């Protein structure tokens, strides 16, 4: 033995956040808009489980309909948590995570998706954007106000703050 210890596979899996994704065209559509998966398990042709490391941020979109129209339109932007840390629960995410943004109704979901596209357009991966921006977006949309755009300067400040605190 070389004196190094590694986390056993069953313990590594326990520290990940798992998101169950389902795609049944025009009925149930659960998908990820962004995020860095560390693992993916395909269950069948319609379902898979994507896993995220602690600290990573992802956007989980849920949409469902029946014969009368859409029944669920929702987006959550979530930060995966360390094993043993407090977390919030949400459907299809195990064990849960820190919810940075939670928006219901298609018009609001579209606003969030446009904001994500705007971060992408800056050449910034939305998974690397400042968590405070996603909280800001949540609060402004919930209050019915126009959110501020994410900027390269805000992103640079976030990267420096993260570097200093890690």
């Amino acid at each position: 033995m070389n004196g190094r210890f590694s986390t056993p596979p069953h313990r590594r899996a326990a520290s990940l956040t798992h998101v169950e994704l389902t795609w049944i065209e025009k009925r149930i559509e659960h998908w990820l808009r962004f995020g860095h998966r560390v693992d993916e398990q395909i269950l069948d042709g319609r379902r898979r489980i994507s896993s995220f490391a602690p600290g990573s941020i992802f956007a989980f979109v849920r949409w469902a309909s029946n014969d009368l129209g859409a029944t669920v339109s929702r987006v959550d932007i979530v930060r995966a948590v360390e094993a043993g840390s407090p977390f919030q629960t949400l459907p299809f995410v195990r064990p849960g995570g820190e919810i940075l943004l939670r928006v219901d109704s298609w018009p609001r979901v579209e606003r969030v998706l446009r904001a994500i596209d705007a971060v992408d357009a800056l050449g910034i991966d939305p998974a690397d954007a400042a968590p405070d921006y996603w909280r800001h977006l949540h609060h402004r949309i919930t209050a019915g106000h126009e959110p501020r755009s994410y900027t390269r300067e805000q992103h640079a400040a976030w990267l420096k703050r993260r570097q200093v605190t890690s």
Side-chain angles (χ1 to χ4, degrees), residues 13-94:
S15 68
L16 298 177
T17 297
H18 307 284
V19 182
E20 186 177 333
L21 304 171
T22 303
W23 189 272
I24 302 170
E25 190 79 30
K26 298 184 182 181
R27 288 306 231 189
I28 300 171
E29 299 177 3
H30 297 176
W31 49 281
L32 296 168
R33 171 54 185 87
F34 66 78
H36 303 290
R37 299 172 183 95
V38 295
D39 190 32
E40 185 168 68
Q41 179 184 8
I42 297 173
L43 302 176
D44 57 42
R46 297 178 170 181
R47 296 177 310 130
R48 64 185 174 185
I49 296 174
S50 292
S51 301
F52 296 89
S56 62
I57 296 174
F58 59 91
F60 179 37
V61 181
R62 289 187 287 144
W63 180 88
S65 73
N66 61 23
D67 293 336
L68 301 175
T71 58
V72 174
S73 296
R74 179 168 168 174
V75 62
D76 294 281
I77 297 181
V78 180
R79 180 167 31 195
V81 296
E82 294 279 343
S85 296
F87 59 87
Q88 297 157 295
T89 61
L90 62 156
F92 309 103
V93 178
R94 293 182 323 262

Side-chain angles (χ1 to χ4, degrees), residues 86-148:
F87 59 87
Q88 297 157 295
T89 61
L90 62 156
F92 309 103
V93 178
R94 293 182 323 262
E98 178 187 356
I99 300 173
L100 304 173
L101 176 144
R102 176 184 174 176
V103 172
D104 293 300
S105 88
W106 189 247
R108 289 178 172 185
V109 169
E110 280 186 311
R111 287 182 73 189
V112 171
L113 295 175
R114 283 194 305 268
I116 292 168
D117 289 344
V119 172
D120 258 339
L122 293 172
I124 298 168
D125 185 332
D128 297 329
D132 289 342
Y133 176 70
W134 302 123
R135 287 186 194 100
H136 160 78
L137 188 63
H138 166 85
H139 293 302
R140 298 294 288 191
I141 289 174
T142 300
H145 297 289
E146 192 61 34
R148 291 185 302 277

Side-chain angles (χ1 to χ4, degrees), residues 128 155-166:
D128 297 329
H155 188 65
W158 157 242
L159 293 177
K160 287 183 186 211
R161 188 170 72 233
R162 188 174 67 183
Q163 185 178 34
V164 169
T165 58
S166 34

